[in-house]
Amino acid sequence: KDPVSSKGKETKMEMPDSDPKGVVLARVRYLLENENINDKGKHCNSVLPPYHIFNANSECIAVWVKTGRFSTLQAAIFLHSTALGQVKSAATLSLFVASQTVPVTTTASAGGVLGWFGMTTTTTAMVPMLSASPWLIPALATYGLTAVGTPYLILMKAKGKWEESTTRLNDGFWGEWAGPEVYVDAIKGWSGISCEDD
């Protein structure tokens, strides 16, 4: 769908529309016909990727059956919101550490004649923690990059796996399995031709 309406204003992003009923049912038959029982007596599917919480779960299968795209909105939202939550936590930690002060004691030779006799003076001052411990700066930066970057890296990897699975499933379905009636249903549904026109 066009994200811009005729008035030039942006519209709300929507989930992909469901494919025609005949195509959806054909995808279900395709998956069921490729169901096998392995050596251990467990059900397995020769066309589906192995289960993975982010890359290949039951929602991915349901979305592919309905839309032809192998993906999961739940995992994408979880990883995206985790990364955004980590931005908040990293910023809060950095601000907390930057606002802390620590006492620093310095010892120096006493001025004047007392200094000649080895006398010293000691002063204690409160200084910012990052000035007293500059090694905290790269540690905080590393934490922030790791906390925010890791969920995004997992999401990017999952998107790549979703694309691979989408291509493999669609190639197997459309290229090797789907019969002429499925193509007719797809053309009718995607072109807007109603079934009453037959």
Side-chain angles (χ1 to χ4, degrees):
K1 292 185 176 181
D2 187 10
V4 180
S5 69
S6 59
K7 295 179 184 177
K9 295 181 181 177
E10 255 188 68
T11 58
K12 182 177 79 171
M13 295 302 292
E14 298 178 9
M15 290 296 295
D17 290 333
S18 175
D19 285 337
K21 181 172 54 173
V23 175
V24 171
L25 293 173
R27 284 192 188 116
V28 171
R29 283 192 305 276
Y30 172 69
L31 292 178
L32 291 174
E33 286 181 14
N34 286 288
E35 180 96 11
N36 301 317
I37 297 178
N38 66 13
D39 299 339
K40 298 177 183 176
K42 293 187 177 185
H43 289 273
C44 62
N45 194 296
S46 59
V47 294
L48 289 174
Y51 176 82
H52 187 275
I53 192 164
F54 296 126
N55 303 340
N57 58 40
S58 58
E59 184 189 5
C60 294
I61 298 166
V63 170
W64 180 76
V65 165
K66 290 290 280 181
T67 67
R69 301 242 352 126
F70 196 82
S71 64
T72 170
L73 186 60
Q74 291 174 351
I77 289 173
F78 170 75
L79 291 169
H80 187 74
S81 60
T82 299
L84 291 178
Q86 295 294 18
V87 167
K88 184 175 74 171
S89 110
T92 302
L93 178 63
S94 297
L95 289 173
F96 173 76
V97 170
S99 68
Q100 298 303 303
T101 56
V102 293
V104 173
T105 304
T106 56
T107 304
S109 298
V113 177
L114 294 177
W116 293 341
F117 294 109
M119 301 294 284
T120 59
T121 58
T122 303
T123 55
T124 301
M126 298 299 282
V127 298
M129 182 184 284
L130 293 178
S131 295
S133 304
W135 60 269
L136 286 173
I137 296 169
L140 288 170
T142 302
Y143 167 73
L145 288 173
T146 304
V148 174
T150 300
Y152 274 120
L153 288 175
I154 294 170
L155 180 60
M156 293 302 112
K157 184 178 178 184
K159 284 183 177 181
K161 296 282 188 181
W162 296 337
E163 287 299 319
E164 289 173 18
S165 296
T166 297
T167 301
R168 194 177 73 257
L169 285 167
N170 285 335
D171 286 351
F173 176 73
W174 290 109
E176 302 167 8
W177 189 87
E181 70 283 352
V182 178
Y183 283 94
V184 170
D185 282 343
I187 291 168
K188 284 181 180 179
W190 293 332
S191 68
I193 299 172
S194 67
C195 294
E196 292 83 29
D197 294 341
D198 292 348

